[in-house]
Amino acid sequence: MYFASDNSSGAHPKIMEAVQKANADYAMPYGSDPIMDEVRQQIRDVFEAPEAAVYLVATGSAANALALACMCQPWQTIFAHREAHIEVDECGAPMFYTGGAKIELIDGDDAKLSPAALHAAIEKTGQLGVHNPQRGPLSLTNLTEAGAAYTPAEVRALADVAHSFGVGVHMDGARFTNALVATGASAAEMTWKAGVDAVSFGGTKNGCLGVEAVILFDPKVAWEFELRRKRGGHLFSKHRYLSAQMNAYLKDDLWLEMARHANAMGKRLSDGILQIEGGELLHPTDANQVFARWPRKGHQKAHAAGAAYYFWPFDHDLAGDPDALLGARAVASWSTTERDVDTFLELISGG
Amino acid sequence: MYFASDNSSGAHPKIMEAVQKANADYAMPYGSDPIMDEVRQQIRDVFEAPEAAVYLVATGSAANALALACMCQPWQTIFAHREAHIEVDECGAPMFYTGGAKIELIDGDDAKLSPAALHAAIEKTGQLGVHNPQRGPLSLTNLTEAGAAYTPAEVRALADVAHSFGVGVHMDGARFTNALVATGASAAEMTWKAGVDAVSFGGTKNGCLGVEAVILFDPKVAWEFELRRKRGGHLFSKHRYLSAQMNAYLKDDLWLEMARHANAMGKRLSDGILQIEGGELLHPTDANQVFARWPRKGHQKAHAAGAAYYFWPFDHDLAGDPDALLGARAVASWSTTERDVDTFLELISGG
Amino acid sequence: MYFASDNSSGAHPKIMEAVQKANADYAMPYGSDPIMDEVRQQIRDVFEAPEAAVYLVATGSAANALALACMCQPWQTIFAHREAHIEVDECGAPMFYTGGAKIELIDGDDAKLSPAALHAAIEKTGQLGVHNPQRGPLSLTNLTEAGAAYTPAEVRALADVAHSFGVGVHMDGARFTNALVATGASAAEMTWKAGVDAVSFGGTKNGCLGVEAVILFDPKVAWEFELRRKRGGHLFSKHRYLSAQMNAYLKDDLWLEMARHANAMGKRLSDGILQIEGGELLHPTDANQVFARWPRKGHQKAHAAGAAYYFWPFDHDLAGDPDALLGARAVASWSTTERDVDTFLELISGG
Amino acid sequence: MYFASDNSSGAHPKIMEAVQKANADYAMPYGSDPIMDEVRQQIRDVFEAPEAAVYLVATGSAANALALACMCQPWQTIFAHREAHIEVDECGAPMFYTGGAKIELIDGDDAKLSPAALHAAIEKTGQLGVHNPQRGPLSLTNLTEAGAAYTPAEVRALADVAHSFGVGVHMDGARFTNALVATGASAAEMTWKAGVDAVSFGGTKNGCLGVEAVILFDPKVAWEFELRRKRGGHLFSKHRYLSAQMNAYLKDDLWLEMARHANAMGKRLSDGILQIEGGELLHPTDANQVFARWPRKGHQKAHAAGAAYYFWPFDHDLAGDPDALLGARAVASWSTTERDVDTFLELISGG
């Protein structure tokens, strides 16, 4: 029962098989492998964006930081939710890659931004001209850090605010496919049709070994991206192993199939928690991440059985009143089984 | 016949098998996987360095830039050969990661530095105090960019110069194992016993998918390295796939076996070229990289047959006097076969 | 009637005279002028810090950013008040000079931090290890952006919190002397005796042309500071003109005399505003900065007469209900006269 | 007898007087002072460039680094002479301000570049695409570090090379006026008419306290320059003192008059050295900097008398064969007198 994070899952057998198959023979290095040509076309098809520039890197932090660095001058301010991965979980990678930009933190329920809060934050930035940090891009996370999914209409509303101030829109899509499945939106509807200029399209958390695509809907920044990727040490010589993952990921809707499964397991878990006496959700379970609260005795049983997940916030104490409600984050993945969920539920029900 | 670079080879089946095996089940992310514990011990054993800090990244540029950033302040000067990879082939990655250090370029035959040239370069740096860029680390490449191997004694002599000025020594070991095999030195003899403070220990070019170890013999900089790696986007969530490669690479001397083979194929190719009328070496073939010259007609035949290798320098012209000697770089790898070499030799002999 | 900022005042005649006097003859450049030797000693005497490293630069942003860069790694977080100059008014200079550090913004009345708020902010930073930006220095502003003065005891309490987490303390003293006069503290009591590790000691706003001292109580970072100053383009060749200003500034207590006058004028203005019908303070007037509110009709009269000061917040509208209260910032300086204050009061009383 | 550098001279009395005059009353800060309006017009007139963006900073390193940062991406290469101030004497300021660009060092007599050498250097840069640092701006120094003056035709020839590769041209004009006087060229002829895109127009070394103008002939980068200046801590609050210097400097041809005098004193010194037995020039004396060699006994006498100048190279030894020729750099300034020169000549003649 491993619910600590979807990044603790392995890779789907089809992805692993593709990597192995790509191993045959020699291949041109640094992204000139023929599989990458296929991948570029697959992504352009999936995103209905025939002109998009498409690149692969191995980590989500690299994808986010490199994309943002192409959209943000060193003296600008990125607008993001207070809990955004780029703020909290990347040891300042965006500051490093942009050359010292700052992030303006905005509050909002379920780690989502509202157009009004975004408008206020951008408006107050840079009002005194050269003295202030200047306005830079919006970075949205979909699925959010609290497991919520923005709909295309919500993205559109936020992108409209950003564009009204002349700044671009980046989407951190580490769990992009989970958000698509949650909303029923197409990749195009969720991105450029809603005003997104660049997306970090995650593969790692959803069944790959380690691959993320950066998709730049404005191909004018493509060369800058390539230079930043190389300079950041993120251009792989044996690039074919990245290509192979993404190729298999997108083939026959494997990416959607895996996210659908993960979301279904998230829902199964979420529904089950609501059946527990005292069980309640901290955030709506739109996809595969469950934020919920249940009595301590259930946590005690689960820990004793070796279940892996995080307290939420992190610093809860396992000892204490057995009926006190303690929060937790539990994340399902493509490899979570119904049995995993049910066993876990039985434990945390504390019965 | 693929001699363009050893980074165009695939991964050794045993490495691929290890990656696949590592795929089973869940694993702790971000380097906390149990395979990494094994790898740390393997590397400490191989380098006879029980205290060394050991980290994995996926590219050689990342390994070099991150290691150097821990050894070099932004206002310092790295000392390196004019043809060093960090100067020529990384789009300025060390400048980016150090926050703007410069590289002082030093000339030397076969892309090797001499102690005298190094001494002169360091001595003249920073003589006017605060006005000048300051003295920083030496970065040696072994195997050099011209295919030559430094012996431990040569490394020692250079490290003594560096240390006499109070600066550290980094070794770019993208082809470290080829250099070990070429010289018969042990990993410890080639590094810390010879005065090296940090080494980028390459796996990618020698039969892995994409993995390089950074070994810091001074564990005091370990935490800084970890922060820089994370901030650079180079800490893998599904780290087990890096660990698995390095684990298999070092098991049962596979790393040495592959380099021995590659070096033998380099020698076979080099010896064969000297049999060609007009054939001559541009640099001694110490290991798996061959820099040589032969008549244009041999190049014409090889190109017509689709052989892959580089002119050296790059901009030679295939058309012209068939007897004119044109330089080339041809690199053997773990997967080069005797037949590959012999077929290639037959072509370039122009017969 | 110029109350827009103390940086709009000229230089005190004695300072100007010193600059002129320093112009005679040749002088060693780059801080080796003999006047700087005197200045170093003056500052060490004033701060009772015989070992302190002392440097001059020409702007407050340079002083702050250079000092902070010596105290803060690129991956660390500076702790400061939300309204701090380093956050709001320096176009990101600290992010530039530190190589991409971030600032954690903390709220507090009168632009002051409380120990509890500081403790909470530092404690929650870096809890997840390598994933998070790390803990870095505290930067206090005294006088605060809201015109309040920290007492030495208040500084001590905050410094104790910072030091308990192992991070240093910087004081932005653009209006340091005003704070000293306001509290009656000595320079030593306000700084190193209260736990401050480095101070930007302002001269520009208090009667100089443009000079700020950076005082590092830990001389171990002196050389790094010198390199950063030079690399930042802030080491003056004709340094004597900086030295001469600071020399005259500190001679015969001129610095204290000017701040005393400015604070007295601030109080005169503040007291006068409270006499106006509807007049009230937005922040206590501890020194020379007055934040207050009075009826619009007073603003209208003052604007019509050409009085210079800022609405607070900036975007008030001059047109509208004449009795509505509108906020303002008015800053007195060494050159503000009683007559300036009284004339201004008469205007804004709207009578 | 002070010939160590022109930066050891004081300021011309008219400049000092202007600074004093500017001290009256209040003035808008941060470059909004009315004197700056005059200066902008003066510079546009002098350079015959009605659209040029004009900014003031206080040091030459700031002027160079800020101008170059607006012309050079972090991954690009600046092309400059091996002895250029930006390479040797600024502790890496251009690397800091550009975010990690590198400088490609080019050799050439008298610290001048030839079009052929420049062409070769640019051509070989970036040939392997994304792997290499990319081509960036040319930075010329006029007067050169060896005291030579480029003519407008020479600048044109170099600028043509740069522009043929699509990169811009910066001129480090720390001694720009000396170069103008030496060649008889106008400011426009030496800059934009010859293909220069941005110039650091020095005042400090030629009789000011500390002021340099940056003139951007392409006003499209003006806003970026303003942000970089502020972020670098180089925007002065009491800007009027910078404005006043430049205002007086350009008034009634004072700048030209001072440079004419300095150049004449340089020539007088140079001519005199050639009269000494064994006296010879290391570089032609085009302006106010003299690089020459004469017997050690002359150096001994001069040192004994307290004359200030530099050995060239720096590390000559005063003890030894009295007839051995030792090199020196001696720089005349606006304040050098004929008597200074003649006294110095008498000493170094060793008679």
Side-chain angles (χ1 to χ4, degrees):
Chain A
M1 295 152 301
Y2 207 101
F3 295 96
S5 175
D6 31 12
N7 67 26
S8 301
S9 298
H12 191 281
K14 287 186 184 170
I15 307 263
M16 187 54 79
E17 190 185 348
V19 169
Q20 190 151 22
K21 198 175 145 209
N23 196 36
D25 217 341
Y26 295 85
M28 291 290 282
Y30 297 118
S32 299
D33 54 291
I35 311 178
M36 185 60 204
D37 293 335
E38 274 187 57
V39 167
R40 200 174 293 111
Q41 196 51 53
Q42 285 174 295
I43 288 185
R44 287 172 172 173
D45 290 348
V46 158
F47 283 83
E48 304 167 42
E51 307 289 325
V54 175
Y55 298 105
L56 302 183
V57 293
T59 72
S61 293
N64 287 339
L66 288 167
L68 283 166
C70 293
M71 305 173 75
C72 186
Q73 295 295 325
W75 45 81
Q76 291 180 343
T77 300
I78 298 163
F79 298 92
H81 192 276
R82 182 176 300 280
E83 296 170 36
H85 201 269
I86 58 169
E87 163 68 13
V88 177
D89 292 308
E90 302 185 354
C91 196
M95 293 76 155
F96 176 46
Y97 277 88
T98 57
K102 68 184 284 282
I103 306 181
E104 179 75 19
L105 304 176
I106 308 172
D107 291 304
D109 291 345
D110 305 325
K112 288 169 95 165
L113 303 178
S114 72
L118 176 64
H119 192 282
I122 303 183
E123 190 174 43
K124 77 169 179 158
T125 296
Q127 284 189 330
L128 297 182
V130 81
H131 299 276
N132 309 147
Q134 304 292 302
R135 293 164 182 159
L138 164 65
S139 181
L140 290 176
T141 309
N142 203 11
L143 205 63
T144 78
E145 302 297 327
Y150 284 107
T151 64
E154 289 172 321
V155 173
R156 171 89 265 165
L158 291 163
D160 284 350
V161 171
H163 292 156
S164 75
F165 286 101
V167 303
V169 181
H170 164 253
M171 183 172 282
D172 175 353
R175 295 186 178 94
F176 182 80
T177 315
N178 303 92
L180 285 196
V181 166
T183 58
S186 73
E189 287 163 355
M190 190 60 94
T191 56
W192 66 268
K193 288 187 177 174
V196 172
D197 300 297
V199 61
S200 303
F201 171 53
T204 310
K205 285 185 162 73
N206 189 30
C208 295
L209 293 85
V211 70
E212 313 276 313
V214 174
I215 305 160
L216 306 166
F217 297 111
D218 175 2
K220 282 199 301 295
V221 295
W223 180 233
E224 177 176 338
F225 184 92
E226 292 198 35
L227 290 160
R228 289 188 182 276
R229 178 177 59 165
K230 175 69 189 174
R231 186 170 168 86
H234 287 291
L235 178 56
F236 277 47
S237 57
K238 297 188 175 178
H239 185 279
R240 55 169 125 170
Y241 304 113
L242 295 183
S243 308
Q245 293 178 63
M246 189 54 73
N247 185 232
Y249 185 59
L250 292 173
K251 201 164 277 176
D252 301 332
D253 288 347
L254 177 60
W255 60 304
L256 293 165
E257 177 192 310
M258 291 193 287
R260 257 182 230 121
H261 177 80
N263 285 13
M265 292 304 100
K267 183 158 173 37
R268 186 181 189 93
L269 176 56
S270 188
D271 288 349
I273 289 169
L274 292 174
Q275 303 306 314
I276 297 172
E277 190 176 323
E280 62 186 26
L281 298 184
L282 298 169
H283 299 292
T285 303
D286 286 355
N288 66 319
Q289 295 197 93
V290 180
F291 295 81
R293 211 164 13 207
W294 61 83
R296 182 180 270 118
K297 59 190 172 197
H299 290 286
Q300 290 167 333
K301 263 191 101 167
H303 274 74
Y309 63 95
Y310 284 103
F311 278 134
W312 206 259
F314 290 104
D315 47 2
H316 282 312
D317 198 336
L318 208 54
D321 173 9
D323 294 319
L325 297 179
L326 302 182
R329 186 190 80 163
V331 187
S333 78
W334 71 271
S335 64
T336 304
T337 63
E338 295 192 356
R339 190 195 170 106
D340 288 338
V341 174
D342 296 346
T343 311
F344 185 60
L345 283 169
E346 200 178 315
L347 288 165
I348 66 176
S349 67
Chain B
M1 294 152 302
Y2 206 99
F3 296 96
S5 175
D6 31 11
N7 65 27
S8 301
S9 297
H12 191 282
K14 286 186 184 171
I15 307 263
M16 188 54 79
E17 191 185 347
V19 169
Q20 190 151 22
K21 199 174 144 210
N23 196 36
D25 218 340
Y26 294 85
M28 291 288 284
Y30 298 118
S32 300
D33 54 292
I35 312 178
M36 185 60 203
D37 293 335
E38 275 188 56
V39 166
R40 201 175 291 110
Q41 197 51 53
Q42 285 174 298
I43 287 185
R44 287 172 172 174
D45 289 348
V46 158
F47 282 83
E48 304 167 42
E51 307 290 323
V54 175
Y55 299 105
L56 302 182
V57 293
T59 73
S61 293
N64 287 338
L66 288 167
L68 284 166
C70 292
M71 307 174 73
C72 186
Q73 295 294 325
W75 44 81
Q76 291 181 342
T77 301
I78 298 163
F79 298 93
H81 192 277
R82 182 176 301 281
E83 296 170 37
H85 201 268
I86 58 169
E87 162 69 14
V88 177
D89 293 307
E90 302 184 354
C91 197
M95 293 76 155
F96 175 46
Y97 277 89
T98 57
K102 67 182 285 280
I103 305 181
E104 179 75 19
L105 304 177
I106 308 173
D107 291 304
D109 290 345
D110 305 327
K112 288 169 96 165
L113 302 179
S114 71
L118 176 63
H119 192 282
I122 302 183
E123 191 173 43
K124 75 168 181 160
T125 296
Q127 284 190 327
L128 298 182
V130 81
H131 300 276
N132 308 147
Q134 305 292 304
R135 293 164 182 159
L138 164 66
S139 181
L140 291 175
T141 309
N142 203 12
L143 210 61
T144 78
E145 301 297 328
Y150 284 107
T151 63
E154 289 172 321
V155 173
R156 171 90 265 165
L158 291 163
D160 283 351
V161 171
H163 291 156
S164 75
F165 286 101
V167 302
V169 180
H170 165 254
M171 182 173 281
D172 175 353
R175 294 185 179 96
F176 182 80
T177 316
N178 303 92
L180 285 197
V181 166
T183 58
S186 73
E189 287 163 355
M190 189 60 95
T191 56
W192 65 269
K193 289 187 176 175
V196 172
D197 301 296
V199 60
S200 303
F201 172 53
T204 311
K205 286 184 160 75
N206 189 31
C208 296
L209 294 83
V211 70
E212 313 275 313
V214 174
I215 304 161
L216 306 166
F217 297 111
D218 176 2
K220 281 198 301 295
V221 295
W223 180 233
E224 177 176 338
F225 184 91
E226 291 196 38
L227 289 161
R228 289 189 183 276
R229 178 177 58 166
K230 176 67 188 175
R231 186 169 167 86
H234 287 290
L235 177 57
F236 276 47
S237 58
K238 297 188 173 177
H239 185 279
R240 55 169 127 172
Y241 304 114
L242 295 183
S243 308
Q245 292 179 62
M246 188 54 73
N247 185 233
Y249 185 58
L250 292 173
K251 200 166 280 178
D252 302 330
D253 289 347
L254 177 61
W255 59 305
L256 293 165
E257 178 193 308
M258 290 194 287
R260 258 182 229 121
H261 177 80
N263 284 13
M265 292 304 99
K267 183 160 171 40
R268 187 182 188 94
L269 176 57
S270 188
D271 288 350
I273 289 170
L274 291 174
Q275 304 306 316
I276 297 172
E277 193 175 321
E280 62 186 24
L281 298 183
L282 298 169
H283 299 293
T285 303
D286 286 354
N288 66 320
Q289 295 197 92
V290 180
F291 294 82
R293 212 166 11 209
W294 60 82
R296 179 180 272 116
K297 60 190 172 199
H299 290 285
Q300 291 167 334
K301 263 192 101 167
H303 274 76
Y309 63 96
Y310 284 103
F311 278 134
W312 205 259
F314 291 104
D315 47 2
H316 283 314
D317 198 335
L318 208 55
D321 173 9
D323 293 318
L325 297 178
L326 302 183
R329 186 190 81 163
V331 188
S333 78
W334 72 272
S335 65
T336 305
T337 63
E338 295 191 358
R339 190 197 170 104
D340 288 337
V341 174
D342 297 345
T343 310
F344 185 59
L345 283 169
E346 201 180 313
L347 287 165
I348 67 175
S349 67
Chain C
M1 294 150 304
Y2 206 99
F3 296 97
S5 175
D6 30 13
N7 66 27
S8 303
S9 298
H12 191 282
K14 288 187 184 170
I15 307 261
M16 188 54 80
E17 192 185 346
V19 168
Q20 190 149 22
K21 199 176 144 209
N23 195 36
D25 217 341
Y26 295 86
M28 290 289 283
Y30 298 118
S32 301
D33 55 291
I35 313 177
M36 185 60 205
D37 293 336
E38 275 187 56
V39 167
R40 202 175 291 110
Q41 196 51 53
Q42 287 174 295
I43 287 185
R44 287 172 173 173
D45 289 348
V46 159
F47 282 83
E48 305 166 41
E51 307 289 325
V54 175
Y55 299 104
L56 301 182
V57 294
T59 72
S61 293
N64 287 339
L66 287 167
L68 283 168
C70 293
M71 306 173 74
C72 186
Q73 295 295 324
W75 45 82
Q76 290 179 344
T77 300
I78 298 162
F79 297 93
H81 191 276
R82 182 176 300 282
E83 295 168 37
H85 202 268
I86 57 169
E87 163 69 13
V88 176
D89 292 308
E90 303 183 355
C91 197
M95 293 75 154
F96 176 46
Y97 277 88
T98 56
K102 68 184 283 280
I103 305 180
E104 179 75 19
L105 305 176
I106 308 173
D107 292 303
D109 290 346
D110 304 326
K112 288 169 95 165
L113 302 179
S114 71
L118 176 63
H119 193 283
I122 303 184
E123 190 174 43
K124 77 169 181 160
T125 296
Q127 284 190 329
L128 298 182
V130 82
H131 299 276
N132 308 147
Q134 304 292 303
R135 293 163 181 161
L138 164 66
S139 182
L140 290 175
T141 309
N142 202 11
L143 210 60
T144 77
E145 302 297 328
Y150 284 107
T151 64
E154 289 172 322
V155 173
R156 171 90 268 165
L158 291 163
D160 283 350
V161 171
H163 292 157
S164 75
F165 286 102
V167 303
V169 180
H170 165 254
M171 183 173 281
D172 175 354
R175 295 186 179 95
F176 182 81
T177 315
N178 303 91
L180 286 196
V181 166
T183 57
S186 73
E189 287 163 356
M190 190 60 95
T191 56
W192 65 269
K193 288 185 177 176
V196 172
D197 301 296
V199 61
S200 304
F201 172 53
T204 310
K205 287 185 160 74
N206 190 31
C208 295
L209 294 84
V211 70
E212 312 277 313
V214 175
I215 304 161
L216 306 167
F217 297 110
D218 175 3
K220 282 197 303 293
V221 295
W223 180 234
E224 177 176 338
F225 184 91
E226 291 198 35
L227 290 161
R228 288 188 183 276
R229 178 178 58 166
K230 175 68 188 175
R231 185 170 169 86
H234 287 290
L235 177 57
F236 276 48
S237 58
K238 297 188 173 177
H239 185 279
R240 54 170 125 172
Y241 303 113
L242 295 183
S243 307
Q245 294 178 63
M246 187 55 71
N247 185 233
Y249 185 58
L250 292 173
K251 201 166 279 177
D252 302 330
D253 289 347
L254 178 59
W255 60 305
L256 292 165
E257 178 192 308
M258 291 193 286
R260 258 181 229 119
H261 177 81
N263 286 12
M265 292 304 101
K267 183 161 172 37
R268 187 183 189 90
L269 177 55
S270 187
D271 288 349
I273 289 170
L274 292 174
Q275 305 305 317
I276 298 172
E277 191 175 323
E280 62 186 25
L281 298 183
L282 298 169
H283 300 291
T285 303
D286 286 354
N288 66 321
Q289 296 197 93
V290 180
F291 295 82
R293 213 166 8 209
W294 60 83
R296 180 180 273 116
K297 59 190 172 198
H299 291 284
Q300 289 167 337
K301 265 192 100 166
H303 274 76
Y309 63 96
Y310 285 102
F311 278 134
W312 205 257
F314 291 104
D315 47 1
H316 282 314
D317 197 338
L318 209 53
D321 172 9
D323 293 319
L325 297 177
L326 301 183
R329 186 190 81 162
V331 187
S333 78
W334 70 272
S335 64
T336 304
T337 63
E338 295 192 357
R339 190 199 170 101
D340 288 338
V341 174
D342 297 344
T343 311
F344 185 59
L345 282 169
E346 200 179 315
L347 287 165
I348 66 173
S349 69
Chain D
M1 294 152 304
Y2 208 100
F3 296 97
S5 176
D6 31 12
N7 65 27
S8 302
S9 298
H12 191 282
K14 287 188 184 170
I15 307 263
M16 188 55 80
E17 192 185 346
V19 169
Q20 192 151 20
K21 199 174 144 211
N23 195 36
D25 218 341
Y26 294 86
M28 290 288 283
Y30 298 118
S32 300
D33 54 291
I35 312 177
M36 185 60 204
D37 293 336
E38 275 187 55
V39 167
R40 200 175 293 111
Q41 196 52 52
Q42 285 174 295
I43 287 185
R44 287 172 172 173
D45 289 348
V46 160
F47 282 84
E48 304 166 42
E51 306 289 325
V54 176
Y55 299 104
L56 302 182
V57 293
T59 73
S61 294
N64 287 338
L66 287 167
L68 283 167
C70 293
M71 306 173 74
C72 186
Q73 295 295 324
W75 45 83
Q76 290 181 343
T77 301
I78 297 163
F79 297 92
H81 192 275
R82 181 176 301 281
E83 296 169 36
H85 201 269
I86 57 168
E87 163 68 13
V88 177
D89 293 307
E90 302 183 355
C91 197
M95 292 76 154
F96 176 46
Y97 277 89
T98 57
K102 66 184 285 280
I103 306 182
E104 178 75 19
L105 304 176
I106 307 173
D107 292 303
D109 290 345
D110 304 326
K112 287 169 95 164
L113 302 179
S114 71
L118 176 63
H119 192 281
I122 303 184
E123 190 175 41
K124 78 169 178 159
T125 297
Q127 284 190 330
L128 297 182
V130 82
H131 299 277
N132 309 146
Q134 305 291 303
R135 293 163 182 161
L138 165 65
S139 180
L140 290 175
T141 309
N142 203 12
L143 208 64
T144 77
E145 301 298 327
Y150 284 106
T151 64
E154 289 172 322
V155 173
R156 172 88 268 165
L158 291 164
D160 283 350
V161 171
H163 291 157
S164 76
F165 286 102
V167 303
V169 181
H170 165 253
M171 182 172 281
D172 175 353
R175 295 185 178 95
F176 182 80
T177 315
N178 303 91
L180 284 197
V181 166
T183 58
S186 73
E189 287 163 355
M190 190 61 95
T191 56
W192 66 268
K193 288 187 176 174
V196 172
D197 301 296
V199 61
S200 303
F201 172 54
T204 311
K205 287 184 159 75
N206 190 31
C208 295
L209 295 84
V211 70
E212 313 275 314
V214 174
I215 305 160
L216 305 166
F217 297 111
D218 175 3
K220 280 198 302 295
V221 295
W223 181 233
E224 177 176 338
F225 184 91
E226 292 198 36
L227 290 161
R228 289 187 182 276
R229 178 176 59 164
K230 176 68 190 174
R231 186 169 168 87
H234 287 290
L235 177 57
F236 277 46
S237 58
K238 296 189 174 177
H239 186 279
R240 53 170 127 170
Y241 304 113
L242 295 183
S243 308
Q245 294 178 62
M246 188 53 73
N247 186 231
Y249 184 58
L250 292 173
K251 200 165 279 176
D252 302 331
D253 289 347
L254 178 59
W255 60 305
L256 292 165
E257 178 192 310
M258 291 194 285
R260 257 181 230 121
H261 177 80
N263 285 11
M265 291 304 100
K267 182 158 173 41
R268 187 182 187 92
L269 176 56
S270 187
D271 289 349
I273 288 170
L274 291 174
Q275 304 304 316
I276 298 172
E277 192 175 322
E280 62 185 26
L281 298 183
L282 297 170
H283 299 293
T285 304
D286 286 354
N288 66 321
Q289 294 198 94
V290 180
F291 294 82
R293 208 161 20 203
W294 60 82
R296 180 181 272 115
K297 58 190 173 199
H299 290 286
Q300 290 167 334
K301 266 193 99 165
H303 273 76
Y309 62 96
Y310 284 104
F311 279 134
W312 206 257
F314 291 103
D315 47 2
H316 283 313
D317 196 338
L318 208 54
D321 173 9
D323 294 320
L325 297 177
L326 301 184
R329 187 190 80 162
V331 187
S333 78
W334 71 271
S335 65
T336 305
T337 63
E338 294 191 359
R339 190 197 170 103
D340 289 337
V341 174
D342 296 346
T343 311
F344 184 60
L345 282 169
E346 201 178 315
L347 288 165
I348 67 173
S349 67

